[in-house]
């Protein structure tokens, strides 16, 4: 246990929210403690082994949750320094400007945020610079306004993806380059830290060239003597003062012992599921339904998107190594024949036979999984799911997490799938096989033998929503708990709606925004909307 157990700020969780906030606060001179239940991902050859990562689940948590029926549920999530950003695909999108307002979907209403896009925009720019996002402004038809260009050029397409982009453009669409947080220098590949390998999406980066929260934020922040990281530190409970108005003690289990820490400000950033669980575990006489839960919204409105992985098979092989460079948003808000939002089209990391064996699709006649992997283009489709109070995180009698979730708003997603099917049928004729090259579209099983989709946990958000009204939200617009003056939440929990793009950049940007608020609260130095110096792209 550190010599001093009192800090100016304690942050619980080191992922997209907590890690980014740690980096933001570290230069202030204030004593900052970062508590992470995991350790550092070991740097080993298995980082690049698809069997170890995708089939064995070597780096996933071994813990089990339960579903709404009380059955065991193994979550495909990761507890390491850097959180789930160690394994994300580093696609860093802004929410669309209209996502911040009320949107009517086929399945219901997506509620407005208590914050306008323009208020978050400077922090989006700061987060893009900090996480070294490579992209191109002005191509994506749904792209919101930006105060600055990307600092790094878009990642180029490999030939098969460039051909697909050209075919989409010829069909009247506006394909664009995915904004990616990777440390790639294509003008000097010899010195580039990123080698553009095929094991980026879903894998930890062995050469530390993915812009994850550990590499970009946590490790640089630790150069400041006032910033401390404790690993293997599981926060079991938050205790309040007798009034219930402030967190007075943070209870930690570490190395088989119970430890207690105190801070002027406590920030929870353990992911939407675990943050809600922590607040529920911290129930007391003053907070009988869970800490900061007088509104009864903590744990409710869980969202994780409606996602599909679709494999488009062709008779020609797809030799692409780094596939995740292309996206299409033409149907994000609908189409001439469908007035409701459908969602986002992009790609996953290139699938292979080993990865497919972990969640195999129906095998096409005359194909093996290995052959399918070599001949597939692998789409990732995301549609917005809507906040439902019955989609929620609770605890059972043993204080184990229970995740109850039923997908909703599915019609738009089914229409998006049909759009992709038609687009692939209209591809330009192959010079070898003509129009017969495309062999069909197959859905990869996202369930991986479990009862909830992997993506449902990867994009988790919405369980501790922010808002102006304490009767319908747990947090105020600064992500401070309405009922607990020194308690904040800065992971994806605060989302009142989910949009249809990866939530990571919005979590990062919001952490920078809340960081400015905290620096002002603490009377510390604050440069408005700064983009801290990133680590170098080269080796």
């Amino acid at each position: 246990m550190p010599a001093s157990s009192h800090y100016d700020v304690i942050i619980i969780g080191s992922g997209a929210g907590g890690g980014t906030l740690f980096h933001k606060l570290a230069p202030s001179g204030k004593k900052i403690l970062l508590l992470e239940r995991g350790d550092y991902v070991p740097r080993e050859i298995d980082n690049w082994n698809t069997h170890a990562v995708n089939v064995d689940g070597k780096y996933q948590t071994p813990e089990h949750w339960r579903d709404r029926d009380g059955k065991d549920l193994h979550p495909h999530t990761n507890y390491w320094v850097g959180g789930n950003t160690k394994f994300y695909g580093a696609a860093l999108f802004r929410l669309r400007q209209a996502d911040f307002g009320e949107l009517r979907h086929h399945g219901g209403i997506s509620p407005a945020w208590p914050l306008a896009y323009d208020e978050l925009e400077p922090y989006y720019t700061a987060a893009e610079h900090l996480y070294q996002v490579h992209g191109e402004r002005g191509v994506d038809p749904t792209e919101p306004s930006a105060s600055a260009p990307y600092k790094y050029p878009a990642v180029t397409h490999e030939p098969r993806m460039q051909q697909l982009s050209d075919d989409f453009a010829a069909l009247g669409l506006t394909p664009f380059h995915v904004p990616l947080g990777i440390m790639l220098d294509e003008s000097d590949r010899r010195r580039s830290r990123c080698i553009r390998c095929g094991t980026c999406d879903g894998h930890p980066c062995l050469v530390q060239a993915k812009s994850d929260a550990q590499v970009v934020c946590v490790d640089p922040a630790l150069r400041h003597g006032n910033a401390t990281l404790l690993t293997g530190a599981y926060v079991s409970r938050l205790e309040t003062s007798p009034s219930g108005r402030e967190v007075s003690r943070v209870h930690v289990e570490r190395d088989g012992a119970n430890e207690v820490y105190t801070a002027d400000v406590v920030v929870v950033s353990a992911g939407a599921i675990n943050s809600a669980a922590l607040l529920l575990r911290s129930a007391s006489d003053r907070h009988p339904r869970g800490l900061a839960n007088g509104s009864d919204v903590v744990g409710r409105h869980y969202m994780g998107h409606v996602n599909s992985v679709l494999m488009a098979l062709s008779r020609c092989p797809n030799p692409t190594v780094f596939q995740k460079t292309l996206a299409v948003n033409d149907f994000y808000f609908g189409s001439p024949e469908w007035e409701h939002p459908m969602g986002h089209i992009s790609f996953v990391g290139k699938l292979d036979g080993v990865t497919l064996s972990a969640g195999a699709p129906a095998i096409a006649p005359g194909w093996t999984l290995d052959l399918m992997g070599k001949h597939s283009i692998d789409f990732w489709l995301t549609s917005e799911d809507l906040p439902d109070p019955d989609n929620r995180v609770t605890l059972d009698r043993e204080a184990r997490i229970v995740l109850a979730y039923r997908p909703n708003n599915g019609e738009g997603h089914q229409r998006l799938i049909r759009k992709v099917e038609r687009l692939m049928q209209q591809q330009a004729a192959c010079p070898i096989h003509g129009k017969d090259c495309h062999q069909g579209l197959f859905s990869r099983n996202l369930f991986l033998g479990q009862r909830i989709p992997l993506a449902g946990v990867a994009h988790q958000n919405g369980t501790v929503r922010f808002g102006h009204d304490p009767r319908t939200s747990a947090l105020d617009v600064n992500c401070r708990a309405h009922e607990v003056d020194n308690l904040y939440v800065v992971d994806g929990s605060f989302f009142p709606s989910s949009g249809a793009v990866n939530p990571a950049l919005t979590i990062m940007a919001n952490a920078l925004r809340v960081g400015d608020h905290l620096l002002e609260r603490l009377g510390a130095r604050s440069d408005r909307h700064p983009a801290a110096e990133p680590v170098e792209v080269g080796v």
Side-chain angles (χ1 to χ4, degrees):
M1 187 169 177
S4 172
S5 62
H6 184 79
Y7 293 83
D8 294 301
V9 181
I10 290 176
I11 302 170
I12 301 164
S14 63
T20 304
L21 182 63
F22 187 57
H23 186 274
K24 174 76 173 182
L25 300 182
S28 70
K30 297 294 183 179
K31 288 184 61 181
I32 315 297
L33 174 64
L34 180 62
L35 297 172
E36 169 54 53
R37 70 188 292 178
D39 205 335
Y40 278 85
V41 176
R43 295 187 69 192
E44 57 191 5
I45 197 63
D46 274 353
N47 292 173
W48 282 346
N49 186 310
T50 56
H51 195 283
V53 173
N54 294 320
V55 179
D56 298 338
K58 180 174 183 176
Y59 302 107
Q60 295 168 6
T61 176
E63 75 178 357
H64 282 76
W65 302 342
R66 288 182 175 171
D67 66 12
R68 66 168 68 242
D69 299 318
K71 297 177 181 177
D72 271 358
L73 175 67
H74 177 215
H76 290 254
T77 194
N78 312 279
Y79 300 144
W80 302 95
V81 178
N84 279 317
T85 67
K86 292 300 299 180
F87 297 84
Y88 75 162
L92 294 175
F93 287 91
R94 301 180 180 211
L95 284 175
R96 315 293 90 175
Q97 187 159 355
D99 286 327
F100 287 80
E102 183 177 285
L103 277 176
R104 182 172 296 279
H105 288 252
H106 180 266
I109 298 295
S110 175
W113 287 40
L115 187 75
Y117 170 78
D118 290 343
E119 296 175 80
L120 194 58
E121 193 287 325
Y123 297 101
Y124 270 132
T125 297
E128 287 168 346
H129 291 177
L130 175 60
Y131 279 85
Q132 300 191 37
V133 181
H134 293 58
E136 181 182 12
R137 300 275 189 231
V139 183
D140 175 2
T142 67
E143 180 184 34
S145 61
S147 57
Y150 288 107
K151 287 186 70 173
Y152 303 94
V155 178
T156 61
H157 300 313
E158 293 177 45
R160 182 66 185 93
M161 302 310 291
Q162 183 62 58
Q163 177 190 348
L164 189 61
S165 178
D166 294 342
D167 286 348
F168 285 161
L171 293 171
L173 302 180
T174 49
F176 62 95
H177 293 263
V178 172
L180 290 167
I182 56 175
M183 300 175 193
L184 175 67
D185 185 353
E186 295 191 275
S187 68
D188 189 356
R189 294 294 293 272
R190 183 182 67 83
R191 299 186 68 249
S192 174
R193 179 181 291 192
C194 174
I195 61 173
R196 195 169 172 148
C197 70
T199 52
C200 184
D201 198 0
H203 295 66
C205 181
L206 179 58
V207 295
Q208 298 193 357
K210 179 159 56 178
S211 296
D212 63 56
Q214 175 237 310
V215 172
V216 171
C217 290
V218 175
D219 288 354
L222 290 172
R223 297 170 190 158
H224 297 273
N226 57 295
T228 303
L229 166 67
L230 292 183
T231 59
Y234 171 74
V235 178
S236 59
R237 185 166 60 93
L238 302 177
E239 181 182 342
T240 63
S241 63
S243 70
R245 288 296 304 173
E246 55 273 329
V247 175
S248 58
R249 293 153 67 91
V250 178
H251 292 263
V252 174
E253 298 173 6
R254 190 167 71 100
D255 296 332
N258 295 320
E259 301 174 349
V260 175
Y261 298 90
T262 62
D264 297 334
V265 172
V266 175
V267 182
V268 176
S269 189
I273 295 170
N274 276 288
S275 287
L278 173 57
L279 298 183
L280 294 173
R281 284 199 306 270
S282 302
S284 65
D285 291 342
R286 290 287 185 179
H287 298 273
R289 291 193 288 196
L291 187 58
N293 194 26
S295 61
D296 194 31
V297 301
V298 171
R300 295 186 184 273
H301 308 106
Y302 171 80
M303 295 169 286
H305 290 144
V306 184
N307 297 294
S308 293
V309 173
L310 299 175
M311 301 176 63
L313 298 184
S314 62
R315 294 173 68 182
C316 288
N318 176 15
T320 303
V321 175
F322 193 96
Q323 181 173 253
K324 197 169 181 170
T325 59
L326 177 63
V328 173
N329 272 344
D330 292 76
F331 312 112
Y332 193 95
F333 292 116
S335 66
E337 71 278 5
W338 175 254
E339 63 179 345
H340 302 292
M342 283 185 263
H344 166 75
I345 300 170
S346 59
F347 296 82
V348 294
K350 187 69 196 76
L351 298 177
D352 59 18
V354 173
T355 302
L356 290 174
S357 70
I363 299 178
W367 296 75
T368 63
L369 289 179
D370 187 59
L371 194 61
M372 288 174 70
K374 291 177 179 177
H375 286 254
S376 68
I377 298 172
D378 313 300
F379 287 87
W380 173 264
L381 275 58
T382 298
S383 301
E384 180 170 355
D385 55 347
L386 301 175
D388 179 345
D390 292 328
N391 284 341
R392 63 186 300 199
V393 176
T394 56
L395 302 175
D396 66 12
R397 294 179 180 178
E398 300 169 350
R400 286 206 302 181
I401 290 172
V402 178
L403 182 58
Y405 179 75
R406 287 193 177 96
N408 58 44
N409 198 32
E411 178 62 25
H413 192 71
Q414 291 304 314
R415 287 176 178 265
L416 189 64
I417 290 173
R418 292 197 289 272
K419 285 286 188 183
V420 173
E421 291 173 343
R422 286 195 290 270
L423 289 171
M424 294 309 297
Q425 290 164 0
Q426 297 176 69
Q427 292 299 291
C430 166
I432 300 174
H433 304 107
K435 287 289 186 179
D436 293 330
C437 193
H438 177 61
Q439 296 290 293
L441 207 60
F442 295 84
S443 177
R444 182 187 171 212
N445 178 8
L446 278 179
F447 286 78
L448 304 180
Q450 308 302 318
R451 284 176 289 278
I452 64 170
L454 168 63
V457 174
H459 290 190
Q460 58 186 274
N461 66 89
T463 56
V464 193
R465 53 175 26 188
F466 76 160
H468 294 300
D469 188 348
R471 296 170 299 179
T472 58
S473 60
L475 309 173
D476 69 13
V477 73
N478 289 316
C479 292
R480 180 184 67 84
H482 289 300
E483 302 170 8
V484 185
D485 180 65
N486 67 338
L487 175 64
Y488 291 78
V489 181
V490 299
D491 52 31
S493 305
F494 81 98
F495 284 41
S497 65
S498 65
V501 291
N502 188 303
L505 187 70
T506 302
I507 296 169
M508 296 162 180
N510 183 63
L512 296 176
R513 182 184 70 91
V514 174
D516 266 345
H517 164 79
L518 289 176
L519 289 171
E520 290 180 2
R521 172 175 174 149
L522 297 167
R525 176 179 55 82
S526 173
D527 297 325
R528 300 302 296 178
H529 321 317
E533 286 301 315
V535 292
E536 292 298 320
V537 171
V539 294

